[in-house]
Amino acid sequence: MDIKEYRKRLLATIHGHKKHKELKSVDCWGDWLHIRFGVESSAILSIKELKMVLDVMNGVSEDGENLSCDMVGRAMIERLKKGGKSDSGNASLKQKKSIVALWQQKARDKSKESMFRFIQTVTKKLFVSLEAMDSKEASRVIMAMNKI
């Protein structure tokens, strides 16, 4: 089973769950997701987050506010939705090392937070890890860093 099919099955299981139907009937599903994951729709969630939702609904995991968000997984889902493959086109190890080395060499503020703010400015996307970048985005970041 491929990733898309697995994800569809997780979503179908969630939408068929008694807890989901209860929340949906009182128009609280979007609020429930927003409090826990910061999203309004389960279609945005990564596979890891969908599994967390099911665990909470089945009483396996404790429910609570601000469950851990999987931004890398969400980026992979976005790439899949656009027709890309989840395991191809990722930035190479050489590109990731270049980004870190260039940042350490050229930036005034050498913190990771500052580097990711710069990457967000260049790519117009929020990254929490270089692993989620594709090779084109990494190339654009490297070019921008060379201009600093």
Side-chain angles (χ1 to χ4, degrees):
M1 175 178 356
D2 71 343
I3 292 173
K4 286 183 180 181
E5 184 63 32
Y6 182 58
R7 200 164 169 282
K8 283 181 186 178
R9 286 189 184 188
L10 286 171
L11 284 165
T13 304
I14 288 169
H15 292 148
H17 199 282
K18 179 184 173 188
K19 178 92 171 171
H20 174 267
K21 290 178 180 178
E22 289 172 5
L23 291 167
K24 199 76 169 156
S25 71
V26 291
D27 202 29
C28 290
W29 176 244
D31 294 335
W32 190 89
L33 285 173
H34 184 73
I35 289 168
R36 286 147 186 85
F37 298 99
V39 298
E40 301 293 323
S41 169
S42 54
I44 297 168
L45 298 177
S46 72
I47 289 173
K48 181 179 176 182
E49 292 168 324
L50 292 172
K51 287 179 179 180
M52 274 193 263
V53 168
L54 279 172
D55 285 348
V56 168
M57 290 178 148
N58 290 325
V60 175
S61 293
E62 196 171 314
D63 193 4
E65 293 182 10
N66 299 320
L67 296 175
S68 63
C69 293
D70 179 20
M71 300 308 280
V72 173
R74 287 184 193 180
M76 287 173 59
I77 297 304
E78 275 303 309
R79 202 169 297 132
L80 280 174
K81 286 180 182 177
K82 292 178 182 174
K85 295 182 181 172
S86 63
D87 57 351
S88 69
N90 289 343
S92 69
L93 181 59
K94 184 176 179 180
Q95 285 177 312
K96 291 182 269 189
K97 284 183 176 181
S98 292
I99 289 170
V100 172
L102 283 167
W103 188 255
Q104 292 302 315
Q105 177 186 3
K106 297 192 172 215
R108 286 185 209 146
D109 179 357
K110 303 201 184 301
S111 70
K112 272 190 170 184
E113 294 82 13
S114 182
M115 180 180 75
F116 282 111
R117 279 194 304 273
F118 177 81
I119 290 171
Q120 183 178 7
T121 302
V122 172
T123 64
K124 307 293 187 246
K125 293 181 182 177
L126 176 63
F127 289 100
V128 293
S129 165
L130 296 178
E131 301 302 317
M133 275 185 152
D134 66 29
S135 60
K136 288 182 181 179
E137 293 162 338
S139 292
R140 285 192 3 234
V141 170
I142 291 168
M143 286 178 15
M145 284 184 175
N146 280 321
K147 292 180 180 179
I148 294 178

